[in-house]
Amino acid sequence: ILNVEQSPQSLHVQEGDSTNFTCSFPSSNFYALHWYRWETAKSPEALFVMTLNGDEKKKGRISATLNTKEGYSYLYIKGSQPEDSATYLCASNYGGSQGNLIFGKGTKLSVKP
Amino acid sequence: SQTIHQWPATLVQPVGSPLSLECTVEGTSNPNLYWYRQAAGRGLQLLFYSVGIGQISSEVPQNLSASRPQDRQFILSSKKLLLSDSGFYLCAWGGQGQHQPQHFGDGTRLSIL
């Protein structure tokens, strides 16, 4: 059974703190690893799609790394802001071009001003 | 630009009643389409996906069905709802290919009484 694990489940930080989350996924039959940000009362928003071992992607203050051999990805947020408060989801694509995703339960980030 | 519409936003239904949730996509052709559900305390679970008109694949055995009568229309249905069908339902579309992110609708909160 394919399973995607995220840790921690929740995180509370102060404005300006840097933080990171972990996503663990099955390293076999790997096609791609997705990160999404899901703000309250909004729909999930794609952050990154990563495919290559050692890949690193960046979008503003948010970056992510990928290790496909050991099956983990890290998401980093530098200098957290209150608007970064959201649930961050990772998902592993196990369906190839069909795009079937298995999602983790997410890490809920709260940034206090 | 591409947009995805999903309705209704909330729905309260009695056990045993039928269900129809609709999702439409604009601004793209031949998208992959997906229905997800988030049950209480769980991550997003893929229910159905479709790679073309009339092509539906089910990921989990369940009380629900899906149809794709048009290229950019995806419908989630049930003949008789169960209490266990309660949850938050999200429709999403993605481009063809394993590297494509998915784009989500605003979701439907379904409560079964």
Side-chain angles (χ1 to χ4, degrees):
Chain A
I1 296 177
L2 299 176
N3 202 25
V4 174
E5 301 284 348
Q6 289 188 249
S7 62
Q9 186 174 359
S10 64
L11 197 54
H12 299 264
V13 301
Q14 290 292 133
E15 182 176 356
D17 288 349
S18 293
T19 187
N20 65 84
F21 327 132
T22 303
C23 173
S24 300
F25 56 90
S27 54
S28 59
N29 296 323
F30 173 81
Y31 289 95
L33 193 284
H34 295 224
W35 281 101
Y36 293 86
R37 174 170 59 201
W38 195 356
E39 296 179 64
T40 302
K42 295 186 177 180
S43 53
E45 173 195 0
L47 290 173
F48 307 112
V49 179
M50 309 174 75
T51 56
L52 299 175
N53 184 45
D55 205 3
E56 183 170 343
K57 296 206 171 183
K58 189 174 181 180
K59 185 177 183 179
R61 294 179 290 98
I62 303 176
S63 61
T65 61
L66 180 67
N67 183 321
T68 60
K69 294 183 179 179
E70 297 181 37
Y72 64 83
S73 175
Y74 294 133
L75 187 79
Y76 301 91
I77 301 179
K78 184 178 180 181
S80 301
Q81 299 297 308
E83 58 265 32
D84 295 328
S85 297
T87 296
Y88 290 83
L89 301 174
C90 75
S92 176
N93 178 350
Y94 65 95
S97 61
Q98 298 165 342
N100 299 15
L101 298 181
I102 293 182
F103 279 85
K105 293 183 180 181
T107 293
K108 186 173 183 179
L109 174 67
S110 298
V111 183
K112 295 182 180 179
Chain B
S1 63
Q2 301 93 355
T3 56
I4 179 168
H5 304 279
Q6 185 182 344
W7 67 93
T10 59
L11 193 58
V12 180
Q13 293 284 98
V15 170
S17 63
L19 173 73
S20 181
L21 302 181
E22 189 163 343
C23 173
T24 60
V25 180
E26 296 177 358
T28 186
S29 296
N30 196 31
N32 288 344
L33 296 173
Y34 309 90
W35 278 110
Y36 291 91
R37 176 174 61 202
Q38 185 179 43
R42 304 189 65 179
L44 283 174
Q45 182 183 33
L46 179 63
L47 301 176
F48 299 96
Y49 69 93
S50 172
V51 299
I53 296 175
Q55 299 179 57
I56 307 294
S57 296
S58 174
E59 286 295 288
V60 293
Q62 58 198 300
N63 183 42
L64 303 169
S65 62
S67 61
R68 184 171 178 174
Q70 300 180 46
D71 181 43
R72 289 168 288 180
Q73 183 184 28
F74 206 22
I75 298 172
L76 184 70
S77 304
S78 173
K79 292 181 179 178
K80 287 186 177 182
L81 285 167
L82 306 173
L83 283 174
S84 57
D85 293 324
S86 292
F88 189 69
Y89 289 81
L90 277 168
C91 178
W93 73 271
Q96 300 289 338
Q98 65 194 53
H99 303 169
Q100 300 299 316
Q102 294 184 12
H103 309 275
F104 291 83
D106 290 334
T108 296
R109 174 74 59 191
L110 175 63
S111 300
I112 310 300
L113 303 179

